[in-house]
Structures are given as structure tokens and as C-alpha cells.
Amino acid sequence: MPSLGGRDPFAFALGSFVLILQTEGTMESACRYAIALIIFAFAPSVFAAELPKEGNFDYTACWSGTSSTISFSKTHTARSYEHTGSIRSNPPGGIFDKDTFRCVGMNASLGGKNTGTTVCESIDRDGDKRLSYFSTAEGKVTRESVAGTGKYDGMVVSATVQPLGPFPVIKEGTFQDCNHQTGTYKLK
């Protein structure tokens, strides 16, 4: 979508419509532009393609959150955290594009053995949700789809997760990070 300088696209279109009415002034022009405005405002939902029952996905997820850390020693630490973020698919418009999510989890490094678990809830533009479980061991991240609502009920996902961070800490007790996920999905 073209940049409108931070303005709401609907408000911009409505403002343009009012400006056209003021300069054109005829009832015929008003009707023509009113119909164009209605088509412009509702076309994305009318022409949206139905999601294929199965396919591939490729997206980058980025997030920011807060954490609480136990630093028992140099070899024994633990951290709990909560973060929220968003997803952008590659190319834009793919499955999961512009979904948002929140996660809670815990990581531990105990005598050189690193482990971690995270549970994430995501929601799409239609209000349909997914619940995912991530586990980390030996530097490898595994993802499991736990449950879904709406179109995601019964969805099966196979994914590869590639961490993209770490990123610098901007404020003590916070963190920012991203990952790249690719894989396949199959809807019920």
C-alpha cells in the first residue's frame, strides 16, 4: 500500500472524496465518486483469495519483551520471559502475514547444558488463533502446533526455525529478537 504519511487510508480516501465533491460540485460526479469510494474501501475483502488447504510458508517473526533472570553462577543461569511481536511473510500477503503473537517461556543454562521452552499464541486478521510450542536443546529449535481455532483448527505444520539474533539490549530487563521460519502447512 502506498505511504500516506501515517494517515489512515480510509480517512485519506474519505477526505479525497469530500475534496472532489467541493471542486466538482455536480450530483452526477458525486454519485460516480461515491461508487468509486465504496469499491475502494471494500475491494480487498471482496477480492481476497481463499487460503489454499495446503502449501508452503516463509516468514520472519520479530518481537520485543521483558525478562527476569537468575544468575546463580557463570555456569548456572535461568530466565523467564514474555514477549509480543508480529510476522511478515515472504512474499507479503502469504499465510500468517501480519499475524501478531505473544509468548511466555523459560530458558536455562545448567552446567553447560542449554534448554528452553516457549508457548506462543498468535492471531490473524480474521480473529483465528494458533497455539504453538517451541523447545530448544543442543542449539536446535523444534516447533509443534498444539491447537487452532477457525481455519487453523486441526492444522498440521512442519517448520524449520532459524534464529536471527541476538540483538543489542536497549534497556535492562528487555530484549528484541527475530527468527526466520519456513515450512509446510495443511489445513483440515
Side-chain angles (χ1 to χ4, degrees):
M1 176 170 283
S3 173
L4 301 175
R7 293 179 283 186
D8 174 34
F10 186 75
F12 180 79
L14 186 58
S16 300
F17 173 66
V18 170
L19 180 63
I20 290 167
L21 281 179
Q22 290 173 347
T23 58
E24 295 279 334
T26 68
M27 185 54 102
E28 183 180 334
S29 293
C31 290
R32 193 170 44 234
Y33 289 114
I35 290 169
L37 176 63
I38 291 168
I39 291 170
F40 172 76
F42 296 104
S45 62
V46 171
F47 298 113
E50 187 173 317
L51 185 63
K53 293 292 183 188
E54 59 184 277
N56 298 321
F57 63 87
D58 178 342
Y59 68 75
T60 299
C62 292
W63 58 88
S64 180
T66 58
S67 64
S68 179
T69 303
I70 295 173
S71 297
F72 184 79
S73 69
K74 289 184 179 184
T75 58
H76 295 84
T77 61
R79 179 174 83 146
S80 64
Y81 53 87
E82 180 173 7
H83 62 264
T84 59
S86 58
I87 296 171
R88 288 308 318 255
S89 68
N90 180 27
I95 188 170
F96 311 132
D97 194 32
K98 297 184 181 179
D99 287 7
T100 57
F101 59 89
R102 69 183 187 121
C103 303
V104 294
M106 186 202 160
N107 294 333
S109 178
L110 306 173
K113 183 178 179 184
N114 297 320
T115 62
T117 59
T118 306
V119 176
C120 296
E121 171 188 43
S122 63
I123 189 167
D124 69 10
R125 289 173 264 197
D126 299 326
D128 295 336
K129 295 181 178 183
R130 297 177 291 126
L131 188 66
S132 301
Y133 173 79
F134 297 83
S135 60
T136 305
E138 312 284 327
K140 183 181 176 195
V141 179
T142 303
R143 174 189 174 161
E144 176 186 342
S145 291
V146 177
T149 66
K151 65 181 146 295
Y152 302 125
D153 181 31
M155 179 177 71
V156 176
V157 173
S158 174
T160 301
V161 181
Q162 177 187 0
L164 300 178
F167 291 84
V169 174
I170 189 69
K171 180 182 175 186
E172 191 63 35
T174 69
F175 59 92
Q176 295 72 41
D177 210 342
C178 296
N179 67 31
H180 181 227
Q181 296 188 36
T182 56
T184 60
Y185 72 91
K186 187 172 185 176
L187 302 175
K188 196 161 69 165

